[in-house]
Amino acid sequence: MSEAYDVVIIGGGPGGYVCAIRCGQLGLKTAIIEKRGRLGGTCLNVGCIPSKALLHASHAYEGAAHHYADMGVEVAGVKLNLEKMMAKKDDAVDGLTKGIEFLMKKSKVTYLKGFGKIIGKNKVTATAEDGTVSELETKNIVIATGSEVAPLGDIKIDEEKIISSTGALALKKVPNKLVVIGAGVIGLELGSVWRRLGSEVTVIEYLDRITPGVDLEIAKGLQKSLTKQGMKFELGKKVTSAVADKKGVTLTFEPAAGGDATTLEVDAVLVAVGRRPYTDGLGLEEVGVEKDARGFVPNHHWKTNVDNIYVIGDATHGPMLAHKAEEEGVAVAEILAGKPGHVDFNNIPGVIYTTPEVAGVGKTEEELKAAGVEYKVGKFPFMANSRARANYETDGIVKVLEDKNTHKILGVHMLGVGVGEMIAEAGLAIAFGASAEDIARTCHAHPTMSEAVKEAAMAVDGWAIHV
Ligand code: NAI
């Protein structure tokens, strides 16, 4: 059966499904094809959402087991019920995926379960699990196929002992010893989950720092906090082999520049060295859509080199973040509806949901130095923030970077409990071209952690009150 659509979206993750909803709102006849059988993509099914559910639950467990007594809350007999914790996480995911299916109906979007393939400039097929093929005629196509786990050498991921983020969200028991390869976002978030639940966690990182791309001062602060919590770091090291057997995993690593090797016997290894675009098997070569050497589909205002074929999210360039994909989904929908779609790539926040959290938006200090931009910096430690003191959550700082000449805020970087929620203020300030003084003269409620943002903004001009 052949039906004509305005747009067919391949991939039902945060990029694809948000694009579909916006297309529906704008009156475009829209279809979305998803092979997983559930909408929400990596983020909702095996990424952002389940990891946050486990971060929340493991934080509560660690608090009850080790920290609540400090506040006079004595809890006896704290026990981990991992099966229940996992079931709760699955429940959160289930509810959200059903919610997205409902939103598809509400937006009058046709949802096809199956593997989407472009078979012509205006033709897409969806092959269902039982082999049934639906053919769709369409004016436009949006590639929103996301990314997959990047493998590491010939290390074989079995999702039981040698795991990716997917396996790390579904372990059936707490490994005594866990090695995490890669001190990036996934490694530190999921490493935190298992450390809180009782694992001895060692993170092996190739570079001589953790979380590349994050403002260095913030990254160093995070490493210090995580070390204090018991996480071990081996920086400037490369893993040369990891082999699973019945007992566990034998892992060997050595200095990045070569040298004496160290061998560890551990229960599990989490490979978290990045993700790569998922762009194979989509028929791109056949219709002439270009890919770069790493498999990304380049774009110009989300248009590929083929006129009516667009690309958004992890499948194209830019940060591999759900909210970046969502913004792009909206922009493409608006372009297809004849409106000016726009995303400010300078204003995409990044959050790491460890304790304390990391949140940043705009340029880092290293980026400003490299670009030769003249800037002023204001910092404020949570140690001097009354709410943080009252909550015994004083780790971290807020740092505001302002252009010395234009006075526009160029970047805001934070380490602290709950800063993932606080970064939106900084994003809004950047969007409106605000100066540090604009934040400094905005009344913030007392006592709140967000007063640290105001004080860091004041510190840019040397008038922070509480330091
Ligand atoms: P990542 O790019 O954040 O970190 C990978 C780390 O592995 C880097 O520090 C890198 O230097 C290191 N590495 C690479 N090869 C290595 C090797 N051979 N040996 C040792 N270390 C090595 O990638 P990650 O953590 O896998 O996350 C994938 C993507 O998913 C990222 O783009 C991330 O932003 C995104 N994500 C975002 C989250 C969030 O926003 N909170 C949560 C989870 C993932």
Side-chain angles (χ1 to χ4, degrees):
M1 191 181 67
S2 187
E3 214 179 335
Y5 287 92
D6 291 312
V7 54
V8 169
I9 299 161
I10 307 177
Y17 87 70
V18 168
C19 183
I21 292 171
R22 190 72 186 118
C23 286
Q25 286 175 346
L26 293 166
L28 299 171
K29 191 165 160 44
T30 308
I32 188 164
I33 306 171
E34 168 56 55
K35 71 175 167 53
R36 196 186 295 266
R38 286 149 66 101
L39 292 165
T42 298
C43 172
L44 176 45
N45 290 283
V46 286
C48 326
I49 301 300
S51 63
K52 262 77 268 175
L54 291 184
L55 278 159
H56 182 72
S58 62
H59 185 64
Y61 168 73
E62 189 180 37
H66 303 294
H67 303 310
Y68 290 175
D70 292 349
M71 295 186 289
V73 181
E74 292 177 3
V75 195
V78 177
K79 254 175 63 190
L80 172 65
N81 183 336
L82 188 59
E83 210 180 315
K84 193 159 184 181
M85 196 180 276
M86 292 293 176
K88 270 298 230 198
K89 167 210 69 172
D90 293 340
D91 189 47
V93 171
D94 278 351
L96 286 166
T97 50
K98 289 194 186 105
I100 298 172
E101 268 198 48
F102 162 77
L103 292 175
M104 289 302 119
K105 283 197 192 111
K106 188 177 162 217
S107 314
K108 301 194 170 50
V109 172
T110 306
Y111 167 33
L112 289 104
K113 292 184 184 175
F115 188 92
K117 187 169 177 180
I118 304 172
I119 58 160
K121 210 171 160 291
N122 299 96
K123 241 185 214 158
V124 178
T125 52
T127 308
E129 231 172 49
D130 66 4
T132 319
V133 180
S134 318
E135 199 172 293
L136 292 87
E137 292 279 343
T138 180
K139 289 187 192 131
N140 299 288
I141 298 167
V142 178
I143 303 162
T145 47
S147 59
E148 59 184 357
V149 172
L152 177 57
D154 51 13
I155 296 177
K156 208 176 149 290
I157 294 176
D158 58 24
E159 297 298 14
E160 279 182 17
K161 291 197 175 89
I162 302 185
I163 54 181
S164 71
S165 48
T166 305
L169 292 167
L171 286 177
K172 292 198 174 60
K173 70 183 237 252
V174 180
N176 289 329
K177 289 186 180 177
L178 170 70
V179 160
V180 173
I181 312 177
V185 190
I186 291 179
L188 299 185
E189 288 185 1
L190 292 176
S192 289
V193 165
W194 293 105
R195 187 205 55 72
R196 292 170 188 172
L197 298 181
S199 298
E200 192 184 292
V201 175
T202 304
V203 181
I204 304 177
E205 164 62 47
Y206 187 80
L207 301 174
D208 59 2
R209 58 161 294 176
I210 67 167
T211 58
V214 169
D215 188 274
L216 187 57
E217 186 178 9
I218 301 290
K220 282 185 176 160
L222 175 64
Q223 191 185 341
K224 210 166 140 197
S225 292
L226 294 176
T227 304
K228 229 169 31 190
Q229 292 162 28
M231 206 179 261
K232 292 194 188 117
F233 289 93
E234 291 284 354
L235 301 186
K237 304 279 165 46
K238 63 177 179 209
V239 172
T240 47
S241 77
V243 181
D245 58 26
K246 272 198 189 120
K247 281 200 340 242
V249 184
T250 306
L251 175 136
T252 307
F253 67 95
E254 62 185 42
D260 291 345
T262 306
T263 297
L264 299 174
E265 301 287 339
V266 297
D267 303 287
V269 170
L270 165 60
V271 180
V273 295
R275 297 181 62 81
R276 63 182 181 190
Y278 182 82
T279 53
D280 282 346
L282 302 175
L284 303 186
E285 293 78 5
E286 291 88 326
V287 283
V289 172
E290 280 166 11
K291 290 199 255 180
D292 71 12
R294 295 167 62 207
F296 290 100
V297 177
N299 78 82
H300 182 68
H301 291 281
W302 305 288
K303 213 176 241 189
T304 67
N305 60 308
V306 177
D307 226 23
N308 63 321
I309 304 182
Y310 294 77
V311 62
I312 58 173
D314 287 7
T316 190
H317 297 142
M320 290 177 137
L321 296 170
H323 44 278
K324 173 260 194 187
E326 290 184 35
E327 294 299 314
E328 292 184 317
V330 168
V332 166
E334 295 189 343
I335 289 169
L336 293 178
K339 293 172 179 289
H342 175 71
V343 177
D344 181 357
F345 285 97
N346 228 339
N347 198 359
I348 310 261
V351 176
I352 308 176
Y353 298 85
T354 43
T355 301
E357 288 179 351
V358 167
V361 65
K363 301 285 185 218
T364 63
E365 227 177 321
E366 292 71 46
E367 284 170 333
L368 294 179
K369 278 184 192 145
V373 176
E374 289 191 306
Y375 66 93
K376 283 168 44 177
V377 56
K379 296 179 199 174
F380 191 81
F382 281 108
M383 186 56 106
N385 172 274
S386 54
R387 185 70 188 278
R389 290 292 285 260
N391 290 355
Y392 291 94
E393 288 172 339
T394 52
D395 259 5
I397 60 164
V398 176
K399 174 165 159 179
V400 174
L401 302 165
E402 186 192 70
D403 192 300
K404 206 170 179 176
N405 302 306
T406 66
H407 297 288
K408 280 191 179 169
I409 295 173
L410 300 174
V412 177
H413 304 280
M414 312 187 197
L415 175 71
V417 170
V419 296
E421 298 292 341
M422 285 159 53
I423 199 66
E425 173 182 12
L428 193 64
I430 291 176
F432 279 78
S435 64
E437 189 179 353
D438 289 322
I439 294 185
R441 295 198 184 275
T442 301
C443 184
H444 286 60
H446 176 75
T448 57
M449 301 283 280
S450 66
E451 283 175 289
V453 179
K454 175 182 162 87
E455 293 257 17
M458 291 163 124
V460 168
D461 291 312
W463 61 293
I465 302 287
H466 291 93
V467 278

